[in-house]
Amino acid sequence: AQSVTQPDIHITVSEGASLELRCNYSYGATPYLFWYVQSPGQGLQLLLKYFSGDTLVQGIKGFEAEFKRSQSSFNLRKPSVHWSDAAEYFCAGTEYGNKLVFGAGTILRVKS
Amino acid sequence: EAGVAQSPRYKIIEKRQSVAFWCNPISGHATLYWYQQILGQGPKLLIQFQNNGVVDDSQLPKDRFSAERLKGVDSTLKIQPAKLEDSAVYLCASSLQGWYEQYFGPGTRLTVT
């Protein structure tokens, strides 16, 4: 079955440090992959998406993600984290014609 | 551009009562989704509409949940009767087409006591 796995439930980083959130997927040849962020009491906001083409995709708020087919991964990165980045991050995936499946989320804490 | 609107934002009911949630998608978006997000989990699709037709309702508990999208715009999701395990955030999302770039509303947090 198609699935998206986020191995880390919580991650804590210091403000100004780099960030990498992991996402692994189980799909066929052409997955469509997304990263969303959810602040407390808010809906989900799309950070970036991968459909095809360049494997390194840029998103909003300084985030980027790299699609690695050989590792079935789509990890989210940011070179320098700000306190306002503290939130929950969801990776999601689909193949054309199927519903979007979300990972369980990773809660990011930023310490000053 | 106005985002996806949902109401109410919060609702507390007792088990066996009924409740309804309302969603107004982004103007021009043909596809509308309802998700259930239980604490500590990612959103799970309950139902997807394309205009006013149902595309996927395979994970909707049809014995107690119902949804409609009259005129292909606004949508309502109803639970009757509610159970304790229905406590969750109910998210509405819309997209211009298909499965891509879904835009989410703020959600309705339901607590069933």
Side-chain angles (χ1 to χ4, degrees):
Chain A
Q2 297 159 341
S3 66
V4 173
T5 303
Q6 294 179 247
D8 304 304
I9 298 174
H10 297 100
I11 282 187
T12 301
V13 298
S14 298
E15 191 169 14
S18 64
L19 169 70
E20 183 169 28
L21 302 182
R22 297 185 291 164
C23 173
N24 297 102
Y25 66 89
S26 171
Y27 281 95
T30 311
Y32 301 107
L33 299 166
F34 307 82
W35 275 99
Y36 285 87
V37 61
Q38 186 176 37
S39 298
Q42 302 296 316
L44 280 74
Q45 181 183 21
L46 180 66
L47 286 176
L48 49 79
K49 60 184 183 288
Y50 172 78
F51 289 168
S52 65
D54 289 341
T55 57
L56 185 63
V57 294
Q58 302 297 322
I60 62 171
K61 304 185 179 186
F63 286 92
E64 66 179 27
E66 186 170 12
F67 173 67
K68 292 186 177 180
R69 188 185 300 278
S70 61
Q71 299 178 19
S72 297
S73 69
F74 187 58
N75 294 349
L76 182 72
R77 300 194 295 245
K78 187 170 185 179
S80 178
V81 169
H82 188 262
W83 64 266
S84 60
D85 294 323
E88 188 162 16
Y89 292 79
F90 291 94
C91 182
T94 184
E95 286 179 312
Y96 183 79
N98 294 318
K99 59 178 171 280
L100 194 61
V101 174
F102 285 83
T106 298
I107 297 173
L108 172 65
R109 299 189 178 114
V110 180
K111 59 181 180 180
S112 55
Chain B
E1 177 182 83
V4 177
Q6 289 187 249
S7 67
R9 292 295 310 275
Y10 305 92
K11 190 74 176 180
I12 301 174
I13 61 172
E14 296 181 351
K15 59 183 179 183
R16 292 187 289 274
Q17 287 186 324
S18 63
V19 64
F21 312 129
W22 173 83
C23 173
N24 182 244
I26 293 173
S27 177
H29 281 195
T31 310
L32 185 147
Y33 315 79
W34 282 103
Y35 288 88
Q36 180 191 58
Q37 185 179 19
I38 293 173
L39 187 64
Q41 300 180 18
K44 181 185 79 173
L45 180 69
L46 291 176
I47 188 167
Q48 177 185 343
F49 292 94
Q50 179 73 21
N51 296 309
N52 60 351
V54 175
V55 174
D56 185 345
D57 63 356
S58 58
Q59 298 192 100
L60 187 74
K62 299 181 185 63
D63 57 334
R64 298 184 300 107
F65 285 64
S66 64
E68 61 182 8
R69 190 183 185 197
L70 300 176
K71 301 180 181 179
V73 182
D74 294 8
S75 177
T76 56
L77 176 70
K78 296 179 182 177
I79 308 175
Q80 183 180 11
K83 293 185 175 181
L84 295 177
E85 59 260 37
D86 298 332
S87 294
V89 175
Y90 291 85
L91 295 164
C92 179
S94 69
S95 64
L96 192 59
Q97 58 179 351
W99 326 89
Y100 313 138
E101 299 197 50
Q102 295 182 28
Y103 295 87
F104 284 80
T108 297
R109 181 175 297 278
L110 173 67
T111 302
V112 182
T113 62

